[in-house]
Amino acid sequence: MNQIRNIVILTGAGVSAESGIDTFRDAGGLWEQHRVEDVATPEAFARDPELVLRFYDMRREAIQTKQPNAAHHALARLDAEWRGELLIVTQNVDDLHERAGATRVLHMHGEHLNAWCTACDERSPWTGPLLDRPACPECGVAALRPDVVWFGEMPYRMEEIFAALREADLFVSIGTSGAVYPAAGFVRNARELGAATLELNLEPSQGSSWFDESRHGPATEVVPAWVDELLTRK
Ligand code: OAD
């Protein structure tokens, strides 16, 4: 690889799998247990808010019992030690990157630990349930929803992501199936913008052939090994 200074890392559910958080599309994953149309669309929320709120209340409660794994810790170490630009763009709605100590993290699909008020548009930190329709701490109206991007909604902070991709020398995708756009298209954007591309995943993803290099194995093994390699080659 040529000189690397600026890095964009895309993470997905595979990075949190070994912390005990279900992925979406693996055998037994969330989308095998629930229909996306029932729990993860604005239409589902309008039709049956209790079902949707109960689903996200369970997920919000569950992630708070999980711990970051060696992959999160390795990425936090890279974040702390890397002198160039670095951005971890995560599709995950858990907070395990942050709890491992990473700071340069952007949640493009939102966060379980936020509630979003559809009346006043404010986001508030939230750890408890939403099913009982609590009032927004900002405006007092009971109009809170999970701050999670649903199918049919625009992912967050796309301008910042594309600004980082434009400057990137290296794009790394970790633990994501490459099934959901726009994240699945970042590898092609990065290539066209001149970055080297690397995939770290349990198995070849749907977009594997777009990467210059793919390494396969559990995130807790392949991510720390890659971070060690990168930090010692400087
Ligand atoms: P998926 O469930 O689609 O894919 C998880 C990927 O992680 C698969 O390619 C697995 O092979 C891989 N994987 C599983 N265990 C792993 C491990 N221990 N180490 C490394 N890789 C492992 O999850 P995402 O790609 O994150 O969006 O899904 C993308 C989006 O689809 C999610 O953000 C969510 C979902 O619908 C929304 O809810 C908006």
Side-chain angles (χ1 to χ4, degrees), residues 102-220:
T103 56
R104 294 183 273 183
V105 182
L106 182 161
H107 285 267
M108 67 176 291
H109 288 166
E111 296 176 64
H112 273 319
L113 298 182
N114 270 349
W116 175 21
C117 179
T118 56
C120 73
D121 202 35
E122 287 296 320
R123 265 102 179 158
S124 304
W126 207 267
T127 52
L130 290 173
L131 183 61
D132 49 359
R133 310 318 280 280
C136 168
E138 296 295 328
C139 72
V141 177
L144 295 173
R145 59 164 271 186
D147 189 16
V148 168
V149 175
W150 287 324
F151 285 86
E153 296 182 326
M154 191 67 83
Y156 297 159
R157 301 172 69 178
M158 293 302 294
E159 281 183 21
E160 278 169 79
I161 296 170
F162 274 99
L165 286 172
R166 276 195 289 277
E167 300 301 318
D169 306 306
L170 175 65
F171 171 78
V172 188
S173 172
I174 305 175
T176 176
S177 61
V180 175
Y181 284 80
F186 290 166
V187 59
R188 273 177 278 171
N189 303 124
R191 279 176 78 102
E192 280 159 18
L193 291 162
T197 54
L198 169 67
E199 169 171 81
L200 306 175
N201 205 51
L202 193 58
E203 58 197 7
S205 72
Q206 291 184 26
S208 248
S209 61
W210 290 101
F211 290 86
D212 298 323
E213 186 189 349
S214 292
R215 299 181 189 179
H216 300 132
T220 54

Side-chain angles (χ1 to χ4, degrees), residues 7-24:
I7 305 175
V8 174
I9 299 169
L10 173 70
T11 68
V15 86
S16 295
E18 290 163 85
S19 293
I21 298 179
D22 287 339
T23 63
F24 296 93

